[in-house]
Amino acid sequence: MTIRAVVLIVLLWACPAWATTRLWVNGTERSTDAGDGARLQELILTANDSDLIELEGGTIIVRSASLILPARANASVYVTIQTRTVDAFVAPGTRVTRAHGPQLAEIRSTATFFTLVQTDPNASYWRLRGLRIRPLIEGYGNWATVGISGAPSSATVPHHIELDRLLIDFDDVANPDYQYQQVLLYGRDLWLHHSHISGVRSRNDGDYGAVLVGYAPGPVLIEDNFLESGGET
């Protein structure tokens, strides 16, 4: 009986940090995500112009499918998704660093071959601010993406997407052999700034890099970022 009690205590102590994540909308605590991002995805899908969706700092959401930024009807004002009170420890206009990592809300992947953060065609007026995005295992896909796959046209590309103070780092993952394109910028009025992207590499030849600007009518603004890649950057 005593041995069973000890084992139970050990298991409880070893629970992962991403068990739950508190979520706020416009300053009001709305709900708790179970750690798989399902509740966060619901809030994103039902967001209205000017909403501020905040995630509890220092917690981890683990996704087994893409986190989708949808096209909102008649969108004209940004919806912001960020770590709660991020401005208090990474001031606006300041580049994020790996030292900020433990304070940021983190979104991770459990699998390869899918885009971790993905826009729908015509998605617009989304802002990701002060988040950490990284895989749990070796990655063959695009881990933080603004754009659409396939054959985009000027009528369907995403637009008015801002990536601000994102930390996308892969230096200490367990299987670091493959980390391909990390941020794809396919669209117009796109902005990547004050962010840190590092650890992009492959042990084989391939098209990989920190940032890739593809079908982009533009403008695309990339400024004040730390970009590190073993291939293209």
Side-chain angles (χ1 to χ4, degrees), residues 8-212:
L8 177 61
I9 290 171
V10 170
L11 290 175
L12 290 174
W13 184 261
C15 285
W18 54 84
T20 59
T21 297
R22 297 162 66 194
L23 302 171
W24 290 260
V25 178
N26 301 327
T28 300
E29 187 168 354
R30 182 63 62 85
S31 62
T32 299
D33 191 284
D36 60 1
R39 182 56 180 145
L40 173 61
Q41 181 68 86
E42 290 176 7
L43 293 179
I44 291 172
L45 293 176
T46 58
N48 298 307
D49 277 9
S50 77
D51 275 355
L52 173 63
I53 301 172
E54 295 180 294
L55 289 70
E56 181 180 3
T59 58
I60 301 173
I61 284 177
V62 181
R63 292 289 292 172
S64 59
S66 297
L67 190 69
I68 300 296
L69 306 180
R72 303 193 313 280
N74 303 312
S76 60
V77 182
Y78 281 92
V79 170
T80 300
I81 305 167
Q82 69 173 37
T83 297
R84 184 164 172 79
T85 67
V86 65
D87 289 353
F89 57 91
V90 189
T94 302
R95 187 192 304 163
V96 73
T97 71
R98 296 194 76 206
H100 297 118
Q103 297 171 277
L104 298 173
E106 184 173 324
I107 302 172
R108 288 191 181 188
S109 165
T110 62
T112 58
F113 296 109
F114 77 90
T115 299
L116 187 49
V117 179
Q118 174 71 57
T119 55
D120 274 345
N122 262 336
S124 63
Y125 290 97
W126 290 101
R127 177 185 292 118
L128 302 181
R129 176 193 289 156
L131 299 170
R132 191 177 203 177
I133 302 176
R134 63 206 312 243
L136 278 174
I137 57 178
E138 63 183 16
Y140 296 86
N142 309 306
W143 295 104
T145 298
V146 175
I148 56 176
S149 59
S153 70
S154 58
T156 61
V157 293
H159 59 92
H160 292 92
I161 309 289
E162 180 182 354
L163 305 181
D164 177 23
R165 286 169 280 169
L166 296 188
L167 175 59
I168 306 172
D169 59 325
F170 304 92
D171 301 277
D172 55 359
V173 294
N175 298 296
D177 290 333
Y178 301 98
Q179 304 299 340
Y180 283 175
Q181 307 291 352
Q182 303 313 320
V183 176
L184 301 184
L185 299 174
Y186 287 20
R188 58 184 175 87
D189 295 292
L190 309 180
W191 192 5
L192 170 66
H193 60 139
H194 312 312
S195 296
H196 175 110
I197 304 173
S198 64
V200 185
R201 54 190 171 265
S202 171
R203 65 182 175 186
N204 298 319
D205 292 336
D207 185 16
Y208 59 97
V211 178
L212 173 64

